[in-house]
Amino acid sequence: MLRVATLRLQAQASDWLDRRQPDHPAVQIVHRWNKQARLLRSALGAVRAFDVHLANLAKVRATLTTSSGYEPRSYRASLRLIETLESRFKRDRKAAAKKLFELLAARGDRMQQAAAGMANEPVLQKPLVPPISAARLSGMLASIASAFPRLDAVSLHDFRKQLKSVRYLAEVAASGAAARQIGAMVKAMQVAIGDWHDWEELAAKASRLSRRKKEAEVLTDLLHTLVAESLERALSAVQNGIAQLVPAPATHDPLPASDAQHTIHESKPESQVPSPPRKPVQSSALKSTRYRSA
């Protein structure tokens, strides 16, 4: 919750700064708060990452065991690897939490001073962002989409980061039902991309650990399959969102498919294309994980 609240306020602060001259008396106050907020968000994000990995591993474990708890012999190596990953993630989460507490102890006073500076500045006591119309939110999304004419596994995460400002500004300042609906659809796009990115990171960590363990191929193949499936869902969510929210350019003649302004590319470089699992696994048992916020 603290991480999400910080992200929302950072989005508002950035929007406020964009509409002010650099010599405005409150600009430095906002910059000081932003600096402390970035440090806090980074430390909170490190802890969150391990929570997400542990939750996703629990979902994968459920697909490798029967309802009675029996572990098929062909999956036991993968289950042992899951246990190893869980042990490492718990250890690393503990270290990340320790760094978070150390940050709060070392910079807590400065964080409180920065927050007090924001709270005590008269010009910052009213809403930082005026009500945002559906037209403005649509325009913001169109601007972001135009910067990413090709969306694929390489560019999708950067696209998601750019969506954050639209999502969080809509959550705090959307004016009217249409604007709130745009905010909800942008959030759905960002969540879908975030789910894919979480699975991709987990698969990469598992692959590094099991590089010399041939018996762990069932798990790594399953994870790569889940990455591919979540990528497909994310690209579909983005494609549908852009189609509904970004006005199509005016034209008298239909453009060839190769000239479309926003092309969603689902193909990945050959080296990144996951191999199908050696043993079929019913991945449909894995429910989509929602950790977004961001």
Side-chain angles (χ1 to χ4, degrees):
M1 293 298 294
L2 179 58
R3 178 173 171 272
V4 175
T6 302
L7 283 165
R8 287 193 183 117
L9 189 48
Q10 280 187 294
Q12 296 174 71
S14 296
D15 184 80
W16 185 89
L17 287 170
D18 288 342
R19 292 180 284 106
R20 297 294 180 277
Q21 295 297 323
D23 59 352
H24 189 285
V27 163
Q28 289 307 313
I29 294 174
V30 177
H31 279 309
R32 281 194 292 271
W33 181 86
N34 253 338
K35 179 181 178 180
Q36 302 303 321
R38 282 194 297 270
L39 293 171
L40 178 61
R41 187 190 70 185
S42 177
L44 290 167
V47 176
R48 172 206 168 272
F50 294 114
D51 287 338
V52 173
H53 292 333
L54 288 167
N56 280 348
L57 280 177
K59 292 180 179 293
V60 174
R61 180 193 291 277
T63 71
L64 299 177
T65 57
T66 65
S67 57
S68 62
Y70 172 71
E71 301 172 353
R73 179 179 299 177
S74 59
Y75 292 164
R76 288 175 190 170
S78 294
L79 289 165
R80 287 195 296 271
L81 179 57
I82 288 178
E83 291 176 356
T84 301
L85 285 167
E86 288 173 334
S87 178
R88 291 197 177 194
F89 290 160
K90 288 175 182 178
R91 180 197 64 195
D92 292 343
R93 186 195 185 282
K94 185 176 181 180
K98 181 180 179 181
K99 288 183 179 180
L100 172 60
F101 290 129
E102 289 174 348
L103 173 70
L104 293 174
R107 306 188 71 93
D109 289 344
R110 273 176 280 189
M111 289 180 180
Q112 290 182 6
Q113 290 172 6
M118 292 270 285
N120 295 330
E121 172 60 40
V123 74
L124 300 176
Q125 290 178 2
K126 56 186 179 181
L128 295 178
V129 179
I132 302 177
S133 67
R136 184 187 169 198
L137 287 173
S138 179
M140 293 169 66
L141 181 59
S143 178
I144 294 171
S146 67
F148 291 87
R150 178 185 179 90
L151 285 174
D152 53 21
V154 176
S155 60
L156 199 56
H157 183 57
D158 286 337
F159 176 77
R160 173 179 171 266
K161 290 192 290 186
Q162 294 297 316
L163 287 182
K164 286 183 179 181
S165 60
V166 183
R167 172 191 168 177
Y168 292 122
L169 289 176
E171 287 182 348
V172 299
S175 175
R180 289 191 292 272
Q181 179 64 20
I182 291 176
M185 294 181 68
V186 171
K187 178 180 178 179
M189 293 163 60
Q190 193 194 27
V191 166
I193 302 172
D195 286 343
W196 157 73
H197 187 252
D198 290 335
W199 283 114
E200 185 182 50
E201 285 193 328
L202 177 57
K205 292 178 185 294
S207 295
R208 286 194 294 270
L209 182 61
S210 62
R211 192 169 296 163
R212 298 182 180 180
K213 297 181 179 181
K214 187 176 181 180
E215 66 274 14
E217 288 181 348
V218 170
L219 176 62
T220 53
D221 285 350
L222 171 58
L223 288 173
H224 284 306
T225 298
L226 292 169
V227 171
E229 290 176 353
S230 59
L231 174 62
E232 183 178 354
R233 288 193 297 271
L235 290 169
S236 177
V238 172
Q239 185 177 41
N240 292 336
I242 290 177
Q244 293 184 55
L245 301 178
V246 177
T251 179
H252 296 291
D253 300 313
L255 291 175
S258 59
D259 295 333
Q261 183 178 5
H262 304 298
T263 304
I264 305 297
H265 294 262
E266 298 187 17
S267 60
K268 299 174 67 175
E270 185 175 349
S271 61
Q272 296 181 4
V273 176
S275 303
R278 294 175 180 272
K279 294 183 179 295
V281 178
Q282 296 300 321
S283 61
S284 59
L286 288 175
K287 295 181 180 179
S288 179
T289 309
R290 300 298 184 209
Y291 296 97
R292 291 282 145 328
S293 84

